[in-house]
Amino acid sequence: MANKLEIEVSGYQEFAEIIRTLKRGRKVTPDMWNNLSTFKGYKRSFEIMEKEMGISRKNFIGWTTKGVTNGPPKFFSKIHWFTNQGRTRGFSHYTSKHVDEIQNFIENFKKSETESIEWITERLREYLPSTLDIPPTTMYLVFGSGDGRIFYNEATYDATLAYTIGFENTKGMMAHEMHHMIRNNKFGSWTELKGLKFIVTTLEAEGIADMVSSIHSSTLAHQDLPIVMMMMQSKEAYARVDEILMEVDELVSNAYPREPRHSKLYRLFTKNAYHPVGHIMAQRIEKCLGRARLVDTVGKPLEFIKEYQMSA
C-alpha cells in the first residue's frame, strides 16, 4: 500500500537564497518573495500564519528582513519569544547564521522520507482509536512558520526549529501535530474554548499528543537557538507537576467554578504548563489503567479527567 503521508520541502533553496541575499546587504526583490509563494508549502505557511497567528505576509517579510540585517529586537529576552515580531526576527537571525547547515538538514531529512513516515505512522496508530484513520496528508518543512501548524489535511513545520531539535525530535514533532489534526478533524478544535472547558480539553489533547512524542530541552541537537528559553518554562512546570496537579484536582472537583477560583491555574497554563501537566496525567493513565483506556479518551476531555482520577 502506498504511503498516505508525504514530506514536501520545495522552496527551501529559494528561501535560503533570500537569507543569503540579505546577509550580503543586498535588496531582496518583490519577485523573489512572490516566487517563494508559488511553492504550496510557503503559500500555505503564509495563510496559516495570518489566520492563526495574525502575522501578515507584509509583516513577515519586514520582520524577516530586520532579523537578518539588524538581529533580534533591542533588549531581547525570553518574553520576546512570545511575540510575533520577536519570534520571527529571532528565528530569521538564527537562520542567517546557520543557513548552510539548515539547508543540508532539510536535504537529508527529505532523503529519509520513507523511514520517517513509517515511524510517524506507527506512533500515530499506537495512540489513535481504531475508528480514526490516518488521512492522506502533506507535511511541509518550510522556513518561517516558527513551530508546527495544522490546517485540515496539511501541516507546516519550521525548518530552523527542526534543525535545532534534531532528526528524531522532528519526526516526533510531525507525529505530535498529526495527532492533533486527526483528533480535531473528528472532535473539533479546542483553541476557541474558554475557561474550564479550555483547560481540561487542552490537557487531554496535549497530554495524549505528548505520549505520541514530547520534546525536552535536554534532547535538542543544538542548544544555541533561544527557543530553548521557551522550553524551559515546560521544564519548570515538570518540576512543579505534583503541585500543579493538586490544583487541577481541586479545579475539576468543583464543576465550572467561578473565574476567580481557577484564575491562578489559568495563568499557570498560559506559561506553557499544558504540555507537562497533560503529559504526566496521560502517563499515569497508561501506566495504571493501560494504553487502551488512555486511547479511549481521545477527544473526550471529561473522560480523560475521570480516568486520571481513577489512576491517581
Side-chain angles (χ1 to χ4, degrees):
M1 180 186 301
N3 282 321
K4 295 182 177 181
L5 308 180
E6 65 172 334
I7 297 170
E8 179 58 58
V9 302
S10 298
Y12 75 94
Q13 292 172 315
E14 285 74 9
F15 192 93
E17 185 55 33
I18 286 175
I19 296 296
R20 293 188 180 101
T21 299
L22 291 171
K23 284 183 67 177
R24 291 192 292 264
R26 298 178 182 175
K27 183 178 180 180
V28 176
T29 66
D31 284 346
M32 293 176 72
W33 286 110
N34 292 335
N35 182 49
L36 190 66
S37 297
T38 64
F39 296 97
K40 192 172 181 181
Y42 286 90
K43 183 176 184 293
R44 182 65 72 226
S45 181
F46 286 138
E47 292 171 348
I48 293 175
M49 282 192 286
E50 182 154 15
K51 180 178 181 293
E52 295 193 3
M53 304 171 68
I55 302 176
S56 67
R57 183 174 180 274
K58 179 180 179 180
N59 280 341
F60 175 78
I61 292 172
W63 293 339
T64 297
T65 301
K66 287 183 179 179
V68 176
T69 57
N70 301 333
K74 193 175 182 180
F75 307 120
F76 195 65
S77 66
K78 177 167 63 176
I79 193 64
H80 284 93
W81 284 98
F82 293 91
T83 68
N84 286 336
Q85 179 174 178
R87 191 182 182 95
T88 304
R89 288 178 61 175
F91 264 79
S92 60
H93 179 65
Y94 182 89
T95 300
S96 69
K97 296 192 297 183
H98 301 278
V99 64
D100 293 337
E101 298 98 311
I102 298 171
Q103 183 167 336
N104 288 336
F105 175 88
I106 294 171
E107 292 167 354
N108 289 329
F109 194 83
K110 176 63 177 177
K111 290 176 182 177
S112 71
E113 179 177 19
T114 300
E115 172 195 338
S116 297
I117 287 175
E118 288 176 354
W119 185 92
I120 292 168
T121 301
E122 180 179 347
R123 291 299 293 170
L124 286 172
R125 286 177 175 156
E126 289 178 3
Y127 286 97
L128 283 172
S130 59
T131 55
L132 296 185
D133 196 13
I134 301 173
T137 304
T138 301
M139 299 177 287
Y140 298 104
L141 192 59
V142 297
F143 285 102
S145 63
D147 54 13
R149 296 277 168 170
I150 56 176
F151 188 82
Y152 296 103
N153 288 344
E154 296 177 314
T156 64
Y157 304 91
D158 186 86
T160 299
L161 178 60
Y163 163 77
T164 305
I165 64 180
F167 188 91
E168 295 300 323
N169 279 331
T170 296
K171 293 192 300 183
M173 175 174 66
M174 289 181 166
H176 180 108
E177 295 299 328
M178 280 289 299
H179 191 276
H180 284 329
M181 184 183 73
I182 297 167
R183 177 207 177 279
N184 291 356
N185 285 350
K186 174 66 175 180
F187 300 102
S189 176
W190 72 95
T191 56
E192 299 301 320
L193 298 176
K194 305 294 182 183
L196 179 61
K197 289 183 178 180
F198 174 78
I199 291 174
V200 298
T201 306
T202 306
L203 287 172
E204 170 260 318
E206 295 293 4
I208 301 175
D210 276 336
M211 295 295 287
V212 176
S213 182
S214 182
I215 300 169
H216 303 284
S217 58
S218 61
T219 65
L220 299 181
H222 304 279
Q223 296 283 341
D224 53 341
L225 177 61
I227 191 71
V228 174
M229 294 189 292
M230 291 177 65
M231 301 182 70
M232 291 304 291
Q233 289 194 323
S234 288
K235 185 176 181 180
E236 292 165 7
Y238 269 106
R240 300 180 54 206
V241 71
D242 288 326
E243 173 192 344
I244 298 174
L245 281 171
M246 288 179 63
E247 297 189 44
V248 173
D249 290 337
E250 180 183 358
L251 172 65
V252 299
S253 65
N254 297 277
Y256 297 96
R258 291 177 302 167
E259 182 70 25
R261 184 174 179 82
H262 69 274
S263 59
K264 178 181 178 183
L265 184 61
Y266 188 84
R267 288 196 301 272
L268 282 171
F269 283 144
T270 62
K271 296 182 178 180
N272 224 22
Y274 293 115
H275 285 282
V277 177
H279 191 196
I280 294 297
M281 294 172 73
Q283 284 179 328
R284 292 183 182 177
I285 294 171
E286 179 172 290
K287 181 178 180 180
C288 297
L289 305 179
R291 181 174 295 173
R293 291 275 287 271
L294 173 65
V295 171
D296 282 343
T297 69
V298 171
K300 304 171 185 175
L302 294 181
E303 291 300 315
F304 179 81
I305 296 296
K306 290 177 182 177
E307 295 289 63
Y308 166 70
Q309 291 176 319
M310 289 284 292
S311 67

